[in-house]
Amino acid sequence: MASLLQRMFQARVLILTVVAAGIGGCFQYGYNLTIINAPTEPLQAFANASWSARWGSPLGAFGTRLCWSLVVSLFPLGGLAGALLAGPLALKAGRKKSLLLNNAFVLLSAVLVVSSRAAKSIEMVFLGRFLAGVNAGVGLSVQPMYLGESAPRDLRGCVSLTCAIFTALGLVLGQVVGLREVLGSEGAWPFLLSSNAVPAVLQLALLPWAPESPRFLLIDRKDPKACLQALRRLRGPSGSLEAEVGELLAEEAALRGKAPPSALGLFRTRDTRWQLLSVVVLASAMQLCGNDSMYSYASQVFREAGIPRERIQYCIIGTGGCELLTALLCTLVIERVGRRVLVVGGYGLMSVWALVFTFALYFQESVEWMPYVSMGCIFAYILSFGIGPAGVTGVIPTEVFDQVSRPAAYMVAGSLLWGNLFLVGTAFPFLLDALGPFCYLPFLLVCLSAALFLGLFLPETQGKTFLEISAEFQKRNFRQGQAPLEVRTEEQEEEEEEEEERATAL
């Protein structure tokens, strides 16, 4: 572990790349999820005042509730649009430039929100939240793609998992900034909701100093010189590039002539059947597991445990801190224990805590000390989520899909993630009313099913090249006797000779 940290310290540009990509990428997802919790009542009052000033009559209870629902739900809908945009943008502009261009959405969002009160327009808040969602959707897909392609093989999981760290950091800082003592007071909500412009400005200042993804430069842009320059900057002056250059050239040769598929195209081809199924399970389970609902349930459980109302907000910050802590620990151990152990273990533990939580909720009113068990289950559930599912879910699409198919894979994963976030956020209040203390049984089934599927069918990708991982999935996609025969042509032989010349030149 010390040697890995030492190598990362030597590769200073890699650290800059991780920080610059993270602060305006996955950080925005976590941050925008939690800053909306504090200004609930002020925003509802503003929506009512805005409508009254325009039409001369108040919204009423239903209209006010509808406006608030739009403020909340437009963020994941924007995230879905951002996920669909991320693939084409990453292919045409590159990974680094996509992240830089993506900041335009959140800066425009901040301008709209901070101007909405003067304009007396709740619609500007709606549009601002949607654009913030687009920014988060693009960042949540492009950042892990960029970092996974830029990291050396033995640090790939560690570097990619920093996406979970920045997401959890965004969750915690969003909760802190939303405190009444900071920007959570009644009159400060426009500044709270527009504070997401700060990380965007930081990324615009830092990311231009980082290089583009070497794999994108070589395989997508066909620019070996720029690829080598990017590798030299990322690995530092003492890094040996011979083996990695050979790996990149082999990958480029294997993918030469292959056109990037669309998201729908992934469902039509047999080449990516098991990769796609694995990513669909991971992306769906990440939201359907009910981890975000735990944050919603936390206030009620803490209140029933006897915690004073004014202190509950600080306890909720502790739940976000748990996810941040486990993300940090997971980053340190992922290259030792592997991806599959972390994600399967995380969902397995979540299944256990969901069952205990159900019993605790059922006996909460009849047993005096049971609310404390419920409170412990909330922390344990979030800790288990941070052990693996929170971070490994973003790592796997980079590793199991090749360079050409990767943007489409993140479009599929991102669409499922944001669509399910919207679904769970909309359905959970009704689920709570219908099932009462048994509301976490559906989440228990999701966690248990994900643990079983991933334990049985997800191969370990730790320490393997992208070509080795593709070859392993190829055996599953085309069972013995089903794989198409490889016919060698004169053109392929000529290309191999050219490849040898290019390798010698590099």
Side-chain angles (χ1 to χ4, degrees), residues 7 26 131 201 219 229 241 265 267-268 271 279 321 403:
R7 282 187 55 199
C26 292
L131 291 173
V201 172
I219 299 173
Q229 290 175 345
L241 301 180
F267 289 91
R268 298 187 183 125
D271 294 346
V279 166
Q403 181 75 18

Side-chain angles (χ1 to χ4, degrees), residues 105-126:
F105 294 111
V106 76
L107 291 174
L108 179 57
S109 166
V111 171
L112 286 169
V113 172
V114 83
S115 306
S116 61
R117 186 159 57 184
K120 298 181 179 179
S121 172
I122 188 63
E123 293 83 3
M124 293 174 71
V125 179
F126 294 159

Side-chain angles (χ1 to χ4, degrees), residues 166-242:
F166 280 99
T167 298
L169 184 62
L171 286 168
V172 173
L173 287 183
Q175 292 168 338
V176 171
V177 173
L179 291 173
R180 288 185 294 272
E181 297 84 351
V182 188
L183 289 178
S185 59
E186 184 175 348
W189 65 263
F191 305 103
L192 173 62
L193 296 185
S194 61
S195 61
N196 52 14
V198 176
V201 172
L202 288 175
Q203 185 176 76
L204 288 171
L206 294 174
L207 192 57
W209 299 95
E212 179 57 272
S213 156
R215 279 182 165 78
F216 172 79
L217 293 171
L218 179 65
I219 299 173
D220 296 302
R221 284 287 168 84
K222 313 296 182 186
D223 191 345
K225 184 178 179 181
C227 168
L228 191 59
Q229 290 175 345
L231 274 177
R232 283 175 176 160
R233 292 187 62 199
L234 286 166
R235 304 298 176 258
S238 60
S240 177
L241 301 180
E242 184 177 349

Side-chain angles (χ1 to χ4, degrees), residues 3-4 7-8 14 151-159 235 244 247 331 334-336 339 399 461-465:
S3 62
L4 292 180
R7 282 187 55 199
M8 289 194 69
L14 180 60
R153 189 202 316 173
D154 55 347
L155 286 178
R156 192 173 60 219
C158 176
V159 170
R235 304 298 176 258
E244 191 165 3
E247 178 187 326
T331 302
I334 188 171
E335 297 300 349
R336 288 195 174 189
R339 286 71 160 147
E399 298 191 324
T461 57
Q462 176 193 0
K464 298 177 182 177
T465 67

Side-chain angles (χ1 to χ4, degrees), residues 29-210:
Y29 167 65
Y31 189 74
N32 283 286
L33 271 180
T34 51
I35 60 171
I36 197 63
N37 294 330
T40 302
E41 294 180 4
L43 266 176
Q44 290 177 345
F46 173 70
N48 202 15
S50 172
W51 184 271
S52 298
R54 191 175 309 163
W55 304 106
S57 60
L59 272 171
F62 175 78
T64 303
R65 193 180 305 114
L66 177 63
C67 283
W68 173 247
S69 298
L70 284 172
V71 170
V72 175
S73 61
L74 281 171
F75 177 70
L77 290 178
L80 177 59
L84 295 174
L85 175 63
L89 190 61
L91 279 173
K92 292 181 180 179
R95 286 39 166 166
K96 170 186 165 182
K97 191 175 289 185
S98 295
L99 289 173
L100 289 171
L101 293 173
N102 187 38
N103 289 298
F105 294 111
V106 76
L107 291 174
L108 179 57
S109 166
V111 171
L112 286 169
V113 172
V114 83
S115 306
S116 61
R117 186 159 57 184
K120 298 181 179 179
S121 172
I122 188 63
E123 293 83 3
M124 293 174 71
V125 179
F126 294 159
L127 183 56
R129 285 293 291 174
F130 179 82
L131 291 173
V134 174
N135 170 268
V138 172
L140 206 59
S141 295
V142 176
Q143 183 190 341
M145 199 188 315
Y146 177 40
L147 295 182
E149 294 174 4
S150 301
R153 189 202 316 173
D154 55 347
L155 286 178
R156 192 173 60 219
C158 176
V159 170
S160 298
L161 211 65
T162 57
C163 298
I165 294 177
F166 280 99
T167 298
L169 184 62
L171 286 168
V172 173
L173 287 183
Q175 292 168 338
V176 171
V177 173
L179 291 173
R180 288 185 294 272
E181 297 84 351
V182 188
L183 289 178
S185 59
E186 184 175 348
W189 65 263
F191 305 103
L192 173 62
L193 296 185
S194 61
S195 61
N196 52 14
V198 176
V201 172
L202 288 175
Q203 185 176 76
L204 288 171
L206 294 174
L207 192 57
W209 299 95

Side-chain angles (χ1 to χ4, degrees), residues 134-459:
V134 174
N135 170 268
V138 172
L140 206 59
S141 295
V142 176
Q143 183 190 341
M145 199 188 315
Y146 177 40
L147 295 182
E149 294 174 4
S150 301
R153 189 202 316 173
D154 55 347
L155 286 178
R156 192 173 60 219
C158 176
V159 170
S160 298
L161 211 65
T162 57
C163 298
I165 294 177
F166 280 99
T167 298
L169 184 62
L171 286 168
V172 173
L173 287 183
Q175 292 168 338
V176 171
V177 173
L179 291 173
R180 288 185 294 272
E181 297 84 351
V182 188
L183 289 178
S185 59
E186 184 175 348
W189 65 263
F191 305 103
L192 173 62
L193 296 185
S194 61
S195 61
N196 52 14
V198 176
V201 172
L202 288 175
Q203 185 176 76
L204 288 171
L206 294 174
L207 192 57
W209 299 95
E212 179 57 272
S213 156
R215 279 182 165 78
F216 172 79
L217 293 171
L218 179 65
I219 299 173
D220 296 302
R221 284 287 168 84
K222 313 296 182 186
D223 191 345
K225 184 178 179 181
C227 168
L228 191 59
Q229 290 175 345
L231 274 177
R232 283 175 176 160
R233 292 187 62 199
L234 286 166
R235 304 298 176 258
S238 60
S240 177
L241 301 180
E242 184 177 349
E244 191 165 3
V245 167
E247 178 187 326
L248 280 170
L249 289 172
E251 189 176 345
E252 191 266 342
L255 297 174
R256 191 177 300 149
K258 182 178 179 180
S262 64
L264 290 177
L266 290 180
F267 289 91
R268 298 187 183 125
T269 178
R270 191 171 190 166
D271 294 346
T272 56
R273 176 185 295 175
W274 280 99
Q275 294 98 308
L276 185 62
L277 188 56
S278 300
V279 166
V280 165
V281 170
L282 278 165
S284 300
M286 184 175 180
Q287 294 297 348
L288 296 179
C289 69
N291 183 70
D292 289 339
S293 301
M294 277 291 183
Y295 289 102
S296 304
Y297 220 126
S299 296
Q300 178 182 340
V301 171
F302 291 153
R303 189 163 53 249
E304 292 179 358
I307 295 175
R309 187 180 185 89
E310 65 274 8
R311 295 183 182 178
I312 288 177
Q313 58 182 340
Y314 302 104
C315 295
I316 294 176
I317 292 175
T319 60
C322 286
E323 189 169 331
L324 177 59
L325 176 62
T326 49
L328 287 167
L329 293 175
C330 185
T331 302
L332 295 176
V333 302
I334 188 171
E335 297 300 349
R336 288 195 174 189
V337 302
R339 286 71 160 147
R340 187 170 62 178
V341 171
L342 290 174
V343 72
V344 173
Y347 280 124
L349 287 172
M350 290 169 73
S351 303
V352 173
W353 297 123
L355 184 61
V356 176
F357 191 48
T358 300
F359 278 104
L361 291 176
Y362 184 76
F363 292 105
Q364 188 134 307
E365 295 182 0
S366 57
V367 180
E368 184 179 355
W369 45 267
M370 200 57 74
Y372 297 99
V373 177
S374 300
M375 189 164 59
C377 285
I378 289 176
F379 284 99
Y381 200 85
I382 293 171
L383 284 167
S384 302
F385 179 74
I387 284 174
V392 175
T393 301
V395 175
I396 294 299
T398 297
E399 298 191 324
V400 302
F401 281 91
D402 60 43
Q403 181 75 18
V404 176
S405 303
R406 195 170 292 134
Y410 271 101
M411 289 174 67
V412 173
S415 299
L416 288 169
L417 190 150
W418 287 100
N420 287 322
L421 175 64
F422 175 78
L423 175 65
V424 173
T426 304
F428 183 71
F430 301 99
L431 197 67
L432 185 59
D433 290 340
L435 299 180
F438 302 103
C439 63
Y440 256 76
L441 289 181
F443 300 132
L444 165 63
L445 293 176
V446 169
C447 293
L448 190 59
S449 301
L452 290 173
F453 177 88
L454 297 171
L456 292 172
F457 300 111
L458 180 67

